[in-house]
Amino acid sequence: MVQRTGAGVARRLWARHHDAGARPRPQAWRPALVDPEPRQQIRFCTTPAGVRVAYATAGRGPALLVPAAWIGHLELAWQDPAVRAFYAPLAAHRTVVRYDKPDCGLSDPWPGRQTLETDLEVLQVVADELRLDRFDLLGISMAAPVAAAFAARHPDRVGRLVLYGGYANGRRVASAEVAAAMVDLVQAHWGLGSDVLADVFLPDGSAEARAQFARLQRDSAPTEVAARLLAQCYELEVEGLLDQIAAPTLVLHRRDDRAIPYRLGRDLAARIPGARLVSLAGRSHLPYAGDAAAVVGAILAFLDPPARGPRPAPPAGPADSLTARQLQVAALVAEGLTNRQIAERLGIQERSAEGHLERIRQRLGVSSRAQVAAWWARRADASEVPG
């Protein structure tokens, strides 16, 4: 997976958000109160073969399913403040559904080798358990081709599709030699392998953050499972399905991603009819690392776009209260720049950039960079000329 050597509440949810026999009405995104510590509830569902799969729900609103990517652990990952901070804004607008891949975390072992087909089976079992007729999908990393394949095969069930840090063909992630070397490293020394992968996934993370992620990997799956599922990452291939995707699709990829090359994200977007590619700054592969606010802002703006029809001029109100400089800062926040990078771009002091951002938040009535980025995306969308 690396570019180089180194890589029952459900039923109540449904009843609350859907009238019997009716579809939920899409609403334009708007800032919501964000719980900085969203709670997740873990339950289990069972596949036809009797494998119990652990899944977690957090938040409120229509469902956003996040398929499992490589290895993970619902409980242990949720203990990371960065992970909770990433999902908190999403959970303010969506019921976020995550699950542990079989053989990992709290889920049962899978009888045999896992493939794209088994991944699709597990995704459907979770959706069926929650009685979700139609839902949005967020595929991250290895889960991107899985989410894309599900959208292609079940166009009636997927409303919107978001793919972050993904690819269409695992054999293009790295050369055969590099892929084999990485799998062999994990198989021979999972401790060293997890450290190397942490460096690849979190190049901008602190030593403490990388060590914490390495421990999470080791606690999520034993050596044999980690090596086997890493090999699966390099084998996934969905190129032949992508032109069948009918759902509106957003592809997000960091330009200097060290785990999955940017060119593969671009290729993924080019193969999906009408897909929109958003290029983000940064090297870290994990969406909650680096400038996570830019990732969250783009996702929220895409999931809840303004209603179509005759487009009014950009809404008056908060934007009219922002100065020209503050509008510049808001645009750069939406690009994913840090306060220091904004200061360098505009030729101002970093503390001035911080001050501008604080006044922007006050005037817009929002509390996070992600909400500023989403507001800017909505404003830009409202300003487009209808095509």
Side-chain angles (χ1 to χ4, degrees):
M1 191 171 176
V2 292
Q3 185 176 358
R4 53 184 69 85
T5 299
V9 84
R11 296 181 177 87
R12 291 197 297 272
L13 277 172
W14 178 255
R16 187 183 309 147
H17 298 295
H18 304 267
D19 294 329
R23 299 284 188 182
R25 294 182 179 179
Q27 298 179 351
W29 183 88
R30 61 186 184 279
L33 293 177
V34 176
D35 182 356
E37 297 292 334
R39 299 173 183 174
Q40 69 171 3
Q41 297 185 3
I42 298 176
R43 287 177 170 79
F44 294 83
C45 57
T46 306
T47 71
V51 176
R52 292 174 300 184
V53 176
Y55 69 91
T57 58
R60 57 185 178 271
L64 174 64
L65 260 67
V66 186
W70 188 38
I71 59 176
H73 194 299
L74 291 174
E75 283 187 326
L76 299 183
W78 204 248
Q79 294 173 13
D80 186 340
V83 172
R84 295 197 305 273
F86 174 77
Y87 284 109
L90 299 178
H93 299 272
R94 288 290 191 273
T95 298
V96 177
V97 182
R98 300 155 50 243
Y99 57 89
D100 282 338
K101 192 179 178 77
D103 285 328
C104 302
L106 301 174
S107 291
D108 283 352
W110 187 266
R113 184 177 180 82
Q114 296 193 60
T115 64
L116 173 63
E117 297 305 320
T118 64
D119 288 340
L120 294 174
E121 178 184 340
V122 172
L123 197 168
Q124 182 167 344
V125 165
V126 173
D128 290 348
E129 173 71 14
L130 291 167
R131 297 187 177 183
L132 299 176
D133 180 36
R134 191 170 177 84
F135 50 88
D136 297 328
L137 271 175
L138 168 58
I140 298 173
S141 187
M142 173 188 176
V146 176
F150 189 91
R153 294 188 182 181
H154 303 276
D156 58 321
R157 300 195 70 174
V158 179
R160 285 180 172 259
L161 176 65
V162 181
L163 306 175
Y164 167 86
Y167 56 94
N169 189 334
R171 291 179 175 82
R172 298 183 181 182
V173 173
S175 68
E177 295 76 15
V178 168
M182 191 65 247
V183 173
D184 288 345
L185 174 61
V186 169
Q187 179 70 61
H189 198 305
W190 187 202
L192 177 59
S194 64
D195 288 339
V196 170
L197 287 171
D199 290 340
V200 173
F201 290 150
L202 291 168
D204 297 320
S206 65
E208 180 182 358
R210 293 196 301 271
Q212 179 179 348
F213 180 67
R215 289 193 298 271
L216 172 63
Q217 293 178 99
R218 296 191 295 270
D219 291 339
S220 296
T223 300
E224 297 294 332
V225 170
R228 186 166 64 246
L229 295 183
L230 181 58
Q232 184 196 2
C233 292
Y234 294 117
E235 297 166 358
L236 282 175
E237 190 273 309
V238 297
E239 290 176 334
L241 295 172
L242 298 181
D243 62 356
Q244 302 173 36
I245 294 176
T249 303
L250 174 68
V251 177
L252 302 167
H253 215 105
R254 285 175 171 153
R255 295 185 188 90
D256 299 307
D257 189 326
R258 292 189 62 198
I260 306 297
Y262 170 79
R263 58 182 170 80
L264 299 188
R266 178 182 176 277
D267 174 70
L268 182 63
R271 291 174 180 271
I272 299 175
R276 177 187 174 197
L277 172 66
V278 174
S279 304
L280 302 171
R283 301 189 301 161
S284 292
H285 181 59
L286 301 178
Y288 59 81
D291 188 6
V295 181
V296 173
I299 293 173
L300 287 175
F302 175 74
L303 291 181
D304 287 319
R308 294 296 176 182
R311 295 192 181 192
D320 295 341
S321 69
L322 299 185
T323 66
R325 176 65 84 188
Q326 289 164 358
L327 289 171
Q328 287 180 313
V329 172
L332 295 176
V333 168
E335 285 186 27
L337 274 62
T338 65
N339 288 341
R340 177 174 297 179
Q341 292 168 331
I342 291 173
E344 293 174 352
R345 179 77 66 86
L346 298 179
I348 59 178
Q349 296 294 318
E350 184 175 356
R351 62 176 178 271
S352 296
E354 294 172 354
H356 285 309
L357 181 57
E358 178 59 30
R359 286 187 285 276
I360 291 170
R361 285 197 293 254
Q362 291 174 356
R363 294 179 181 182
L364 295 182
V366 301
S367 60
S368 70
R369 297 177 75 94
Q371 291 172 320
V372 172
W375 171 84
W376 180 264
R378 288 171 53 235
R379 181 176 182 272
D381 186 70
S383 300
E384 291 178 355
V385 176

